[in-house]
Amino acid sequence: QQKLKTMSLTLNKSASMNGLMTKMNEKLVEEGLLSEPIPLEDLVAVDVWSHEVFSWYQHTADIDRLRDNDKTFIYQLRRLADVQEESKPKEDAAQVSEDIFGTRRRTRKYNLDIATLSRLNANDGWQKELENYVQSPMMLLSLFNPRRGSNDERIQFCKKLETFIDLCHKEIEEDEASGTKRPRDGSKNGSGSVDTGSEDPPMDEQIQGLLDRSDASPSFKGARTRQDVAILEWCASKLRQYILNSSKAKESYKDGIVVQIVMRRPKSGSSNYSSFVQPVLMRISGNLTVYGLRKCLADRFGSW
């Protein structure tokens, strides 16, 4: 390991942090500590207080923000180009578009009343409603947790839900084709036969085929009526949009994420913790998994 060296830099008072880091680069090359300047995009300036980052400086920030009693550090991060390459989707199918669900576009067969729509749309009520139709509601809590559920898992669940809805549609169609459904008012026409009329079938009528389908499903339950299927249709469409929005949000991390790693230990005789070494700053890819983060930390601290 090289010994610490003290260097003096002279800058104009109106210089920016970019200017400071440029001067620093030039000095490091001049002193023979670097063979070439570090790309400015791979440098970040921060103030550290009590072994934790206190302030983050933009490259355009003026250097007159620095104070004599500040402890300002400039960290070299992992190459931006490498992180951008890792952040790229592995497959074209992962691009933000309807293609991630296949080429078929979904249409809803049933319309919900305004009261039900208001309930499902308020505060993501559709997610809570969906718990009534899955065999394992706890699975949904994990699925919608940004820190635990992945988009791939959500896509697979959405496809499974849409397949179940399609099977429910077939059960309803077979029920209607069999002619066993009763009219809304149960009236008879002049010939004594049941008059089904031209009105839409009742949404709250239980259908035996739906009951059987729900009982046979390992993943879903509770679909008894057309109203239930209509709710599932709406939840599926909201889930699609949720997945697309999550995919778009990942695009905002194409340049990676800069995080600080702080080492803490318990204070003697106290339940509180205190930092005891300078923080480590790392640039990681936006789609890094927990395992990948652990590996990055192992590689980083293994060199200490």
Side-chain angles (χ1 to χ4, degrees), residues 22-301:
T22 299
K23 282 281 190 181
M24 180 199 71
N25 261 333
E26 294 173 354
K27 192 70 172 179
L28 290 173
V29 173
E30 179 184 323
E31 294 285 337
L33 299 176
L34 290 177
S35 58
E36 59 182 13
I38 302 171
L40 296 182
E41 62 194 17
D42 297 332
L43 296 173
V44 60
V46 297
D47 281 344
V48 174
W49 181 77
S50 191
H51 302 304
E52 296 188 24
V53 172
F54 178 72
S55 299
W56 300 73
Y57 291 104
Q58 298 292 331
H59 281 209
T60 55
D62 296 331
I63 62 169
D64 62 3
R65 289 181 54 188
L66 303 179
R67 298 291 181 263
D68 292 339
N69 58 344
D70 288 342
K71 289 186 177 181
T72 304
F73 292 79
I74 297 178
Y75 284 83
Q76 180 180 2
L77 304 173
R78 190 178 171 202
R79 289 180 67 246
L80 178 61
D82 293 341
V83 173
Q84 289 175 333
E85 184 64 28
E86 282 189 6
S87 298
K88 287 181 180 178
K90 295 181 180 179
E91 299 178 359
D92 292 340
Q95 295 291 342
V96 183
S97 79
E98 287 282 354
D99 292 341
I100 62 178
F101 299 103
T103 56
R104 177 180 169 225
R105 294 184 63 84
R106 301 285 303 186
T107 56
R108 296 192 301 274
K109 286 194 173 185
Y110 302 105
N111 294 321
L112 290 168
D113 58 275
I114 295 178
T116 302
L117 284 175
S118 299
R119 174 168 56 84
L120 295 178
N121 290 332
N123 300 319
D124 291 328
W126 64 273
Q127 295 183 17
K128 187 68 176 176
E129 187 72 19
L130 198 53
E131 294 179 9
N132 299 325
Y133 296 97
V134 296
Q135 296 286 2
S136 177
M138 292 300 297
M139 177 268 296
L140 291 181
L141 296 178
S142 175
L143 202 67
F144 291 119
N145 187 329
R147 297 183 179 180
R148 299 180 63 184
S150 68
N151 249 13
D152 287 341
E153 292 171 331
R154 296 182 192 108
I155 291 170
Q156 291 304 314
F157 175 78
C158 186
K159 289 181 177 179
K160 190 182 296 186
L161 173 59
E162 290 173 347
T163 297
F164 178 73
I165 293 172
D166 290 339
L167 293 173
C168 289
H169 286 156
K170 289 183 179 180
E171 297 291 352
I172 295 174
E173 290 169 1
E174 290 178 5
D175 179 79
E176 293 175 347
S178 69
T180 57
K181 65 180 184 300
R182 294 192 299 272
R184 190 187 302 268
D185 57 2
S187 62
K188 297 182 178 181
N189 58 22
S191 62
S193 61
V194 174
D195 185 2
T196 58
S198 59
E199 293 185 6
D200 292 333
M203 293 289 288
D204 58 353
E205 179 187 47
Q206 286 198 9
I207 298 174
Q208 186 60 45
L210 290 179
L211 295 172
D212 295 339
R213 177 63 62 184
S214 295
D215 290 340
S217 174
S219 303
F220 302 98
K221 66 177 183 179
R224 304 180 180 87
T225 66
R226 293 177 181 84
Q227 177 75 2
D228 292 323
V229 177
I231 290 175
L232 286 175
E233 286 180 335
W234 186 259
C235 289
S237 67
K238 297 292 285 187
L239 178 57
R240 274 195 173 218
Q241 191 58 52
Y242 179 92
I243 293 171
L244 292 174
N245 291 340
S246 298
S247 298
K248 291 176 182 177
K250 281 190 174 182
E251 281 197 335
S252 62
Y253 298 126
K254 58 183 175 57
D255 291 340
I257 307 168
V258 179
V259 298
Q260 69 162 320
I261 310 298
V262 176
M263 301 292 183
R264 291 177 176 172
R265 60 188 174 191
K267 293 181 178 179
S268 178
S270 171
S271 60
N272 296 326
Y273 289 78
S274 62
S275 307
F276 61 95
V277 294
Q278 297 298 347
V280 174
L281 267 60
M282 298 174 59
R283 176 187 278 152
I284 59 177
S285 62
N287 56 7
L288 191 67
T289 63
V290 174
Y291 173 80
L293 177 60
R294 288 173 177 170
K295 190 174 184 303
C296 287
L297 293 174
D299 293 341
R300 182 63 178 266
F301 295 123

